[in-house]
Amino acid sequence: FSLYRFAIPLQRHFPSAGHAKHGATVLLLYYGEGFTVREIAQAMELKEEAVKTRLRCARGSLKQAYEAE
């Protein structure tokens, strides 16, 4: 199972390319690479709450993309 195959469908469900890129990045770091929320926040220079929000939004978009297939 690879999250990379969901990168393109994920991008289609975000309102702008910037949001899709950040959502996909956070998902890949969290699930694909095993980073913690704190580590992602530090690496991306964000607050932990922002990372959590991006994860929640990206999960929702990924769910919609998966259910649509």
Side-chain angles (χ1 to χ4, degrees):
F1 176 74
S2 172
L3 289 175
Y4 292 100
R5 73 184 186 120
F6 290 105
I8 299 302
L10 179 63
Q11 290 177 1
R12 282 186 255 157
H13 292 279
F14 278 91
S16 71
H19 290 290
K21 181 179 178 183
H22 294 302
T25 299
V26 169
L27 277 178
L28 291 172
L29 289 173
Y30 188 77
Y31 290 108
E33 301 297 328
F35 281 64
T36 65
V37 169
R38 177 173 283 155
E39 291 169 334
I40 295 168
Q42 290 172 346
M44 296 182 73
E45 298 180 353
L46 298 169
K47 292 182 179 182
E48 289 183 35
E49 289 303 316
V51 173
K52 291 176 186 178
T53 298
R54 289 181 185 190
L55 275 171
R56 186 178 63 251
C57 292
R59 285 182 192 123
S61 293
L62 183 60
K63 181 179 178 183
Q64 288 177 353
Y66 183 76
E67 290 174 348
E69 288 186 8

